[in-house]
């Protein structure tokens, strides 16, 4: 598919959202296990979805904050390969965090902690801006034209003076002259 042609494929969009959401929570789980798992006696879903665990007053709370920020960094990298379009990064990162907000509301009620809101606002900004930057870098990469050949063969048609007979001549041209 060319980038200029817009194709409405809702199943692709839903699949991308589900994959990005799953990868986000998988990465969050890995970081929470590494940073918080050795500080608490038992890991549970409250570190994922309860706003009370996001606090700047304890070392465990700072580890939870770091886990969420590292997950947003990883989410930006995931968007580079899953979404691959810079103009869609804000939409997909907002979808990830809005879905996370709904799950948090269902799990533990409306988040009343200012730390939770600042963390998730920072997370969405990091994921959207870094994802757009990485996708833009990928979009602007130079496309190699002569990948396997160092020379280019050109076929030239030379017409004779009477206009009825044709001669074909193959010429070898150095590709460095065209760069």
């Amino acid at each position: 598919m060319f980038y200029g042609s817009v194709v409405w494929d809702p199943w692709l969009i839903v699949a991308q959202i589900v994959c990005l959401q799953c990868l986000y929570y998988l990465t969050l789980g890995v970081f929470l296990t590494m940073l918080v798992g050795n500080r608490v006696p038992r890991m549970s879903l409250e570190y994922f979805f309860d706003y009370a665990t996001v606090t700047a007053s304890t070392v465990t709370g700072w580890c939870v904050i770091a886990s969420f920020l590292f997950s947003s960094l990883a989410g930006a990298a995931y968007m580079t390969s899953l979404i691959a379009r810079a103009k869609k990064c804000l939409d997909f990162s907002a979808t990830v965090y809005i879905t996370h907000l709904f799950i948090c509301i269902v799990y533990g009620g409306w988040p009343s902690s200012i730390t939770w809101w600042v963390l998730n606002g920072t997370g969405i900004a990091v994921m959207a801006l870094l994802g757009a930057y990485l996708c833009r870098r990928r979009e602007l990469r130079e496309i190699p034209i002569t990948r396997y050949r160092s020379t280019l063969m050109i076929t030239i048609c030379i017409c004779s003076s009477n206009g009825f007979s044709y001669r074909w001549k193959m010429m070898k041209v150095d590709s460095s002259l065209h760069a």
Side-chain angles (χ1 to χ4, degrees), residues 26-39:
L26 181 70
T27 306
L28 181 61
V30 167
F31 284 124
L32 281 173
T33 301
M34 288 186 335
L35 297 175
V36 179
N38 57 359
R39 298 190 175 281

Side-chain angles (χ1 to χ4, degrees), residues 84-95:
R85 295 287 290 154
K87 68 179 185 177
K88 294 180 182 180
C89 286
L90 178 61
D91 299 336
F92 279 93
S93 56
T95 303

Side-chain angles (χ1 to χ4, degrees), residues 54-55 61 64-69 72 97 113-125:
V54 180
T55 179
V64 171
I65 290 170
S67 298
F68 273 96
L69 290 176
S72 65
Y97 279 91
S113 168
I114 191 70
T115 309
W116 188 92
W117 287 102
V118 169
L119 173 66
N120 283 291
T122 305
I124 193 172

Side-chain angles (χ1 to χ4, degrees), residues 12-90:
L12 174 66
I13 295 170
V14 169
Q16 287 173 329
I17 290 170
V18 169
C19 285
L20 191 61
Q21 195 78 37
C22 289
L23 285 171
Y24 175 76
Y25 283 129
L26 181 70
T27 306
L28 181 61
V30 167
F31 284 124
L32 281 173
T33 301
M34 288 186 335
L35 297 175
V36 179
N38 57 359
R39 298 190 175 281
V40 296
R42 183 171 165 261
M43 282 293 294
S44 67
L45 288 179
E46 74 180 22
Y47 293 102
F48 284 87
F49 305 120
D50 192 3
Y51 64 90
T53 60
V54 180
T55 179
S57 61
T58 64
V59 175
T60 304
W62 278 105
C63 290
V64 171
I65 290 170
S67 298
F68 273 96
L69 290 176
F70 288 148
S71 295
S72 65
L73 289 172
Y78 295 145
M79 281 196 294
T80 304
S81 60
L82 270 176
I83 311 306
R85 295 287 290 154
K87 68 179 185 177
K88 294 180 182 180
C89 286
L90 178 61

